[in-house]
Amino acid sequence: MKSINGTQINYYFICKTKLWLFSHNIQMEQESDNVSLGKQLHETSYKKEKEFLIDNLINVDFIKNKDPIEIHEVKKTQSMEISHEYQLLYYMYYLKKEKDISNTVGYLNYQNIRKQIEIELTEEKEEELETVLNDIKSIVDSDVPSPKKSRICRKCAYFEFCFA
Amino acid sequence: MSKKNYYLLSEGILKRKENTIYFVNEKGSKPLPINKIYSMYAYGQITISSQVISLFAKEGIPIHFFNYYGYYNGSFYPRESLLSGDLLIKQAEHNIDFSKRLKLAKLFVEGAAKNILKVLAYYKIENNIKNTLTELNESSKITEVMNVEGRIRAEYYQYFDDILPDEFKMEGRSRQPPTNMINSLISFGNSMMYASVITELYNTQLNPTISYLHEPAERRFSLALDLSEIFKPIIVDRVIFYLVNKKMITEKDFNQDLNCCLLNDKGRATFVKEYNKRLETTIKHKDLGRKVSYQRLIRLEAYKLKKHVFGMKEYDPFVIWW
């Protein structure tokens, strides 16, 4: 379980091909406008807050040391909400399992609409996450899944790679 | 993508002031904003500082240098930022496994030949290339594949005499140095094509020295040679036909010596301009459903190769479809 990072959880819900490619270090050159926008957002918003890297694996956007501890993730738009939710759930799950920290609450911060969504790690969610983690492992260890064209592909940095 | 290729045709100095590059020559100082540069082709004698090189490295911009004859001298190939060991292994595997290599070598020749056929069809020239191409089926060695490729190209070059006016007669392919105008144009164009492919390969994770048709031992970016074959007929050769038939390039654009013929400064400028125009020309891509430039088509070819070695989809060389 240890080697799975937040991006992989995120991609699992978006596209299995992307998950496989990313996991095998097949990255795209950083030319896509969306990629640079995301980077920009990363560099400019919540500047006073510090990024938090755990075990070189879990990259939390920022943490507020309250009771419970607030785990924050910043996103551009709400369009991939489920993937965002599980990414954040995974951070909380990881803290609980690996660091014995369970008094956490997650927040998704949506920049464009200035909205915050609270996420809670329930037992049910934990079970779901475990299924997801196992699933990710088997996808990454198998042959690359064929890309399936969908509405979201056009904005993806891998679009040309997948469909040329 | 708003980034551009820059072509330095005159003598000058590349300077860096903060994050802007200036090209300084006798005409003055011209700023080249760093985030607008996609790649650079230097034909004139250029003085360059290490500060310029480090900025190019940081931004991932390759520069290609050509000598007095217009031959490719070498590139500044910025350090790789997108390494993938998995891909390198797969790429090598497709070379070491002979049947896999042979398959790819044949596909490169097939793609090149099909593009040649398209060019000849445009000029309504009957030919025997299709028949020669069928011999690929029986080729069981790379040298045999190369031989088929060589014969196709030799036949194709003969037809240049039917396409171009008399003064541009081919009289056999000559290089290093080219002895007449048409040979000079072909050499000049092919080395530009080679450099353009290197730029695209730099922007993928493919290793440019592991090739399939050409021998990887050639001390060159031999994968760029492989991919160039696909694009030479539809980019370089068409630029030549266009420029010569429109009389945009004439005898006046060459310096002729006893056994050497080279484009002069004006000729180079005309060629480079038209070549770049061709790279920037867009077409509507069938599968992507969006507009794609010829330059981008080279990149897509590299992606297709990547997918081939990963076993995602068999490489199907680009053949112009209009």
Side-chain angles (χ1 to χ4, degrees):
Chain A
M1 285 306 151
K2 260 206 162 178
S3 60
I4 290 176
N5 66 32
T7 310
Q8 285 171 296
I9 303 280
N10 187 327
Y11 288 175
Y12 174 83
F13 290 95
I14 296 173
C15 170
K16 307 289 189 274
T17 308
K18 190 172 184 165
L19 167 66
W20 191 95
L21 291 169
F22 175 83
S23 306
H24 287 260
N25 251 316
I26 308 302
Q27 291 155 32
M28 293 309 280
E29 50 294 336
Q30 307 291 302
E31 283 167 23
S32 135
D33 288 346
N34 268 321
V35 174
S36 33
L37 210 66
K39 265 191 176 169
Q40 194 81 8
L41 172 70
H42 217 89
E43 280 162 16
T44 54
S45 44
Y46 297 98
K47 253 195 153 159
K48 57 180 191 300
E49 317 290 353
K50 270 212 180 99
E51 253 185 28
F52 213 87
L53 186 66
I54 302 159
D55 293 348
N56 229 346
L57 193 65
I58 304 295
N59 198 349
V60 182
D61 280 342
F62 62 92
I63 286 179
K64 280 186 182 169
N65 202 359
K66 295 184 183 170
D67 189 26
I69 299 167
E70 292 183 8
I71 313 292
H72 288 262
E73 182 67 15
V74 184
K75 295 291 182 190
K76 201 169 57 180
T77 70
Q78 231 173 329
S79 57
M80 308 282 181
E81 208 177 326
I82 292 190
S83 67
H84 299 161
E85 182 189 335
Y86 279 87
Q87 189 180 350
L88 193 51
L89 284 169
Y90 177 59
Y91 293 167
M92 291 150 76
Y93 174 86
Y94 189 91
L95 288 173
K96 183 175 170 188
K97 297 285 169 184
E98 302 290 333
K99 306 288 166 195
D100 216 12
I101 302 168
S102 50
N103 64 328
T104 57
V105 56
Y107 288 100
L108 286 171
N109 298 279
Y110 288 106
Q111 273 300 81
N112 59 339
I113 45 171
R114 310 224 156 257
K115 185 173 159 188
Q116 210 180 45
I117 296 168
E118 198 182 302
I119 306 284
E120 195 197 340
L121 182 68
T122 58
E123 236 170 74
E124 193 188 335
K125 293 282 182 195
E126 265 186 51
E127 274 169 33
E128 278 177 47
L129 252 181
E130 275 158 16
T131 316
V132 168
L133 291 170
N134 282 325
D135 216 9
I136 288 176
K137 261 190 167 306
S138 66
I139 289 168
V140 172
D141 290 340
S142 310
D143 285 344
V144 49
S146 296
K148 292 183 194 69
K149 208 183 237 174
S150 86
R151 195 181 42 81
I152 58 170
C153 289
R154 300 200 148 263
K155 282 189 171 177
C156 175
Y158 289 96
F159 176 69
E160 288 180 322
F161 176 81
C162 283
F163 301 107
Chain B
M1 199 173 55
S2 60
K3 291 189 176 185
K4 283 182 161 38
N5 297 310
Y6 283 80
Y7 303 86
L8 309 176
L9 297 166
S10 60
E11 201 173 315
I13 306 169
L14 271 183
K15 278 189 178 160
R16 172 179 174 181
K17 211 182 234 172
E18 315 230 309
N19 282 343
T20 304
I21 301 288
Y22 292 86
F23 184 55
V24 187
N25 61 11
E26 49 183 27
K27 281 188 212 151
S29 176
K30 194 183 167 207
L32 316 170
I34 195 74
N35 52 13
K36 288 270 179 232
I37 308 173
Y38 181 65
S39 76
M40 205 172 257
Y41 298 70
Y43 284 91
Q45 293 202 35
I46 307 297
T47 305
I48 193 164
S49 70
S50 65
Q51 290 139 308
V52 173
I53 293 289
S54 60
L55 188 58
F56 276 43
K58 185 172 162 260
E59 301 294 329
I61 301 165
I63 327 173
H64 311 292
F65 297 97
F66 299 84
N67 72 4
Y68 170 75
Y69 298 102
Y71 295 143
Y72 176 78
N73 261 345
S75 302
F76 171 65
Y77 196 82
R79 77 184 145 72
E80 296 275 8
S81 61
L82 301 159
L83 293 174
S84 162
D86 284 358
L87 178 61
L88 181 64
I89 288 163
K90 291 282 182 195
Q91 231 190 301
E93 183 204 334
H94 278 74
N95 178 288
I96 296 165
D97 184 324
F98 182 70
S99 63
K100 286 180 177 167
R101 176 173 175 190
L102 191 66
K103 187 177 194 172
L104 276 173
K106 287 182 181 181
L107 284 168
F108 283 124
V109 174
E110 191 187 305
K114 285 184 173 166
N115 282 316
I116 284 173
L117 287 168
K118 285 280 186 178
V119 171
L120 293 177
Y122 176 82
Y123 290 99
K124 299 193 174 52
I125 293 171
E126 285 184 31
N127 61 77
N128 197 36
I129 286 172
K130 248 191 194 138
N131 286 332
T132 316
L133 191 59
T134 57
E135 290 177 31
L136 268 190
N137 300 330
E138 288 115 60
S139 310
S140 57
K141 293 188 186 115
I142 298 293
T143 47
E144 287 167 13
V145 176
M146 280 296 248
N147 186 279
V148 173
E149 194 264 342
R151 281 189 293 136
I152 288 172
R153 196 157 285 275
E155 186 187 340
Y156 169 56
Y157 281 143
Q158 279 176 22
Y159 301 125
F160 276 37
D161 290 354
D162 300 334
I163 296 169
L164 298 171
D166 283 349
E167 62 270 30
F168 279 86
K169 270 227 174 323
M170 175 75 113
E171 289 161 342
R173 180 84 178 98
S174 58
R175 52 195 118 191
Q176 311 258 15
T179 52
N180 59 23
M181 295 191 289
I182 184 65
N183 274 294
S184 171
L185 289 171
I186 293 170
S187 291
F188 188 79
N190 285 353
S191 48
M192 275 196 103
M193 187 78 247
Y194 176 62
S196 304
V197 177
I198 290 172
T199 300
E200 295 310 318
L201 286 177
Y202 173 69
N203 281 292
T204 71
Q205 295 174 308
L206 287 165
N207 183 300
T209 63
I210 299 179
S211 57
Y212 305 97
L213 175 61
H214 294 80
E215 286 302 330
E218 282 187 79
R219 285 176 297 152
R220 286 189 283 180
F221 289 145
S222 42
L223 185 58
L225 296 174
D226 284 2
L227 285 173
S228 291
E229 297 296 339
I230 306 284
F231 293 98
K232 270 166 10 184
I234 50 175
I235 298 181
V236 177
D237 300 343
R238 284 166 130 207
V239 166
I240 295 173
F241 300 151
Y242 179 82
L243 289 172
V244 174
N245 286 334
K246 290 252 180 227
K247 304 215 179 329
M248 289 160 78
I249 280 201
T250 64
E251 270 166 89
K252 279 183 253 163
D253 293 300
F254 295 87
N255 291 332
Q256 307 238 22
D257 276 339
L258 198 54
N259 47 26
C260 167
C261 175
L262 296 169
L263 277 168
N264 62 26
D265 289 354
K266 190 175 146 277
R268 272 180 200 186
T270 311
F271 192 102
V272 163
K273 196 173 165 202
E274 188 57 35
Y275 176 87
N276 192 56
K277 224 165 101 185
R278 203 57 64 130
L279 281 189
E280 286 178 355
T281 302
T282 57
I283 55 131
K284 178 99 187 255
H285 195 282
K286 276 195 296 194
D287 302 321
L288 298 179
R290 61 168 68 150
K291 280 188 161 186
V292 171
S293 68
Y294 274 83
Q295 179 165 298
R296 198 70 183 175
L297 284 174
I298 306 171
R299 175 84 65 90
L300 299 184
E301 215 58 10
Y303 290 162
K304 279 153 67 177
L305 197 60
K306 238 162 119 172
K307 283 200 288 186
H308 180 93
V309 299
F310 272 123
M312 287 171 78
K313 194 180 170 195
E314 193 163 301
Y315 176 57
D316 177 22
F318 174 77
V319 177
I320 202 162
W321 58 73
W322 57 94

